[in-house]
Amino acid sequence: MKNIKIFNKALLKTAQALSLASVFSLNFANAATPYAWNNIAPVKTPSSTNNNGKTVLFDVSHGGVEGNADWVIDGAFSDFADALVIQGYTVKEYRGIDYNQDGVIRFHDDRVNNTPQNEAVITYDAIKNSDVFVLAETNRPFTLSEQTALIQYVNAGKGLFFIADHYDADRNLNTWDATEVFNGYNRSDLEKYNLGGQYGDWRNPKDAYSGWLVENFGIRFRFNAIDYKAGISGIKSPSETEGITQGAQPVLMAGGATLAIVDEQKAKGLVYFSENDKPTKWRHAKDSGLYFGGEAEGPYVAIAKSGKGKAAFIGDSSPIEDTTPKYKRQDNGNSKKTYPGWTDSGNAAQLSVNIINWLAKTENYTSFNNEDGHISGMVTPDAMATQEFTDPNNGNPWGTPASGFNAWDTDSYKNNAFNAAFGDIQGEPDPTPDPTTNISVSEALKMPQGSNVTVVGKVTAAVNGIYALELSDINDISSHIFVKLESTQRSDFNPQLNPEILNQHIIVTGIRNSYMNEAGIRNVSKIALAPTALSVKQALASAKGELITLTGKVKSALNDIYALVLVDNNSDLTINIKLESNQRSQFSPQLNPELLDAQLLIKGVRDSYMGGDGVRQVSNIELVSNNTPTTPEGLTVSQALALQNGTLVTVIGEIKSAINGQYALALIDADNQFETLYIKLESNHRDTFSPQINPQNIGKKIRVTGIRNDYMNELGVKYVSDISFIN
């Protein structure tokens, strides 16, 4: 029964991508097709009020999920993807082209099988509507036409982000690693790498000026393998790096490569080994691993300008990845283990977001020529070391493939691996719960019109007199949807008739549709106050697998930053709460000790965690109250500056200036012009409160409610839920 349930849900998702005619033509026998378990590529979207209109694609058509790598937006790159969504980007996974329109993108190796059926390909038409294309540890060589498509993409003013790793990171054991694929040639000069046909000659040219990458971007990846987890500290100033290094800290390297620049007007480095850094050879390096040291080793992070377009490069995935891999290994089916780089002290989180912002911005200058502030780069001496002329592996993979595994044959992949034929999830919670049940407002906004939805949210306003209401996400009033009330529902639920319903949590069941030219819910069949949150004691009595809302007091951190322990106010009964990656920075007691004894409201699935009773799949978490007094009117700027990050605050001050264009402002106390608090403005606040847009606001007094958090490396307030002028 479990497998049938899973199959039915997979079939339902497949149906969304197929025409009705083809859906109704399916029968049980031929619908149980391989790959159906995971044939819907994930998409993450920002709220309607925070959408910057730009799209970032993460490629998995050529790798990124091989070996322990899991560079997908709902796996070990989920923290990266979530950070981009917060910036307003739509983030999608790119798998290839569904040539035969069967709802599934399949990989067949055209080089070995000489078949036109390979759908895991890159074409310009397939990616042209995006703004940035992320290539993470690509482990399969590009065809000549794919290389042409990528250059056409750049020539159209778009951006490529190349994320590599150390030499010999041959994760699928096919004798290719990302440094080789990106450069456009294998380190070996054996005749077998003269692939011919649609690939061309991929033998090592033994020349720093030859190869696809260097010829188009003036830069190549080195074949080194270096460790320096303390963090590479030679960070160039923002004035030299198009502003990209603003807020960047030393970046760790856990077995990675550097690059060599041969054209200083095309490419320039952002991060180098400084004279104080003491990198070492990665312990598994096939040669000396570290060739020259210092700046002579070449940049670890770099950018390039090629005509209208741009490119960026980093020599390791470790400072970007998180510890939430989704897939199993292709070769042996084992669980993957990824590095906690996104939350490590040497993370590249801020730097990576800055890179994407730069890549996504179309600019007219075509090179780094020292004009208009676009400072040129620095040519790397010995851009191809003698050691890089030869292949220590002699054309062999870096390890012995598991018995029966063939990187070119997806039928040999183990269950639950990306591109595997089947997913075996027996004994685990259903990973695809019905998306229409008890969803948030932001999730409802993503549902297609005509969908039957049940939405939980907070009533924030009356709409169209007595006829409708506005429903917002409990934690984010910028995500809102209009609910058209039936005549029998208005007397109880319309805020104009019942002002006491404002800020109440309600559950609405109806049809996702538009109302008054806004996103809405019509044909409401059910509307009710949301059930009162359970106590920890009541939650412990709930059945496993049940979706619950509970409230309790934070007792302690659990499992470092990854969870917390919740306790009832007048009891010692506890429950373990597993935090999702996008919740840790705000709600982990390890990162925010001031949360201890704070009251939280949590929605998630009753389960076990860390050997005890727990809640997983937390979809909503809200700070109800904490230990930090706020006056009825609000704190002064100096009082707010003294609070810890993660504290919910209301602060009153005067607007001093704009910060970061229209995106923030500086707040000061009237009697203290020197202590400033940066207020990050949400998209729906900028038109009214931004001093850049409204210079007359300077000197005006405002009240701001939000979370104390750093912004642009300064003390600040983010996640602003309320802001208003004070007369």
Side-chain angles (χ1 to χ4, degrees), residues 21 34 71 113 150 217 283 338 340 402 410 436 440 547 646 691:
W71 316 147
N113 300 324
L150 293 173
F217 300 102
R283 68 183 185 278
T338 49
T410 56
T436 65
S440 66
L547 181 67

Side-chain angles (χ1 to χ4, degrees), residues 585-586 591-595 623 626-630 635 639-640 642-650 705-709 716-719:
S585 64
Q586 185 176 350
L591 299 175
N592 308 281
E594 67 278 3
L595 283 177
L623 181 66
N626 62 14
N627 290 325
T628 304
T630 62
L635 302 176
Q639 288 171 327
L643 298 177
Q644 297 289 324
N645 277 353
T647 306
L648 178 67
V649 298
T650 295
T705 299
I707 303 296
R708 255 291 279 117
N709 214 317
V717 173
K718 297 171 72 172
Y719 314 109

Side-chain angles (χ1 to χ4, degrees), residues 438-724:
N438 290 344
I439 61 177
S440 66
V441 170
S442 57
E443 291 171 315
L445 291 169
K446 302 171 189 174
M447 299 293 293
Q449 294 205 21
S451 302
N452 195 308
V453 295
T454 297
V455 183
V456 180
K458 179 167 64 177
V459 179
T460 47
V463 174
N464 193 19
I466 66 171
Y467 297 102
L469 61 84
E470 180 186 72
L471 197 64
S472 299
D473 267 348
I474 291 172
N475 275 336
D476 180 10
I477 61 172
S478 67
S479 294
H480 65 269
I481 197 167
F482 289 174
V483 177
K484 183 180 183 298
L485 298 170
E486 300 299 314
S487 58
T488 56
Q489 299 160 350
R490 296 168 193 159
S491 61
D492 291 328
F493 292 97
N494 176 260
Q496 182 164 307
L497 298 175
N498 304 279
E500 67 274 8
I501 199 74
L502 285 170
N503 296 316
Q504 293 283 327
H505 296 180
I506 64 171
I507 301 177
V508 177
T509 298
I511 304 300
R512 174 71 177 84
N513 213 318
S514 59
Y515 180 68
M516 297 188 68
N517 293 321
E518 295 277 352
I521 298 173
R522 290 174 172 263
N523 306 106
V524 174
S525 59
K526 183 178 179 181
I527 183 170
L529 290 175
T532 304
L534 302 177
S535 66
V536 170
K537 181 179 180 180
Q538 292 169 325
L540 290 170
S542 301
K544 287 190 175 182
E546 182 180 348
L547 181 67
I548 62 172
T549 299
L550 74 156
T551 186
K553 186 170 63 175
V554 178
K555 180 180 181 181
S556 64
L558 178 67
N559 191 19
D560 196 61
I561 66 170
Y562 300 101
L564 59 84
V565 177
L566 210 63
V567 63
D568 274 338
N569 283 321
N570 300 311
S571 169
D572 57 359
L573 293 174
T574 63
I575 194 166
N576 300 336
I577 310 295
K578 181 181 183 296
L579 298 172
E580 298 299 312
S581 58
N582 62 331
Q583 298 160 352
R584 296 168 196 156
S585 64
Q586 185 176 350
F587 291 103
S588 164
Q590 177 98 340
L591 299 175
N592 308 281
E594 67 278 3
L595 283 177
L596 294 175
D597 292 329
Q599 192 81 11
L600 298 182
L601 183 72
I602 293 170
K603 176 184 173 183
V605 176
R606 178 71 174 84
D607 208 330
S608 58
Y609 180 69
M610 297 289 291
D613 291 302
V615 174
R616 291 174 175 260
Q617 301 177 46
V618 172
S619 57
N620 185 69
I621 183 167
E622 181 178 356
L623 181 66
V624 178
S625 64
N626 62 14
N627 290 325
T628 304
T630 62
T631 63
E633 296 81 13
L635 302 176
T636 65
V637 168
S638 60
Q639 288 171 327
L641 288 169
L643 298 177
Q644 297 289 324
N645 277 353
T647 306
L648 178 67
V649 298
T650 295
V651 60
I652 293 175
E654 291 186 357
I655 298 175
K656 179 182 180 182
S657 63
I659 298 294
N660 193 20
Q662 62 179 323
Y663 298 102
L665 59 84
L667 202 65
I668 58 173
D669 288 328
D671 58 353
N672 186 343
Q673 303 289 315
F674 301 101
E675 289 190 327
T676 61
L677 187 69
Y678 282 11
I679 309 296
K680 182 180 184 298
L681 298 172
E682 299 298 317
S683 57
N684 58 318
H685 299 151
R686 296 168 194 158
D687 286 347
T688 302
F689 294 95
S690 165
Q692 175 157 309
I693 299 174
N694 309 281
Q696 69 275 14
N697 285 351
I698 293 176
K700 289 187 177 181
K701 183 181 286 188
I702 61 172
R703 178 185 287 109
V704 179
T705 299
I707 303 296
R708 255 291 279 117
N709 214 317
D710 292 347
Y711 178 68
M712 295 187 69
N713 283 334
E714 298 288 344
L715 302 178
V717 173
K718 297 171 72 172
Y719 314 109
V720 172
S721 59
D722 187 64
I723 182 170
S724 60

Side-chain angles (χ1 to χ4, degrees), residues 404-418:
F405 173 72
N406 178 356
W408 306 113
D409 180 6
T410 56
D411 289 337
S412 72
Y413 293 2
K414 300 298 183 183
N415 286 1
N416 285 316
F418 184 86

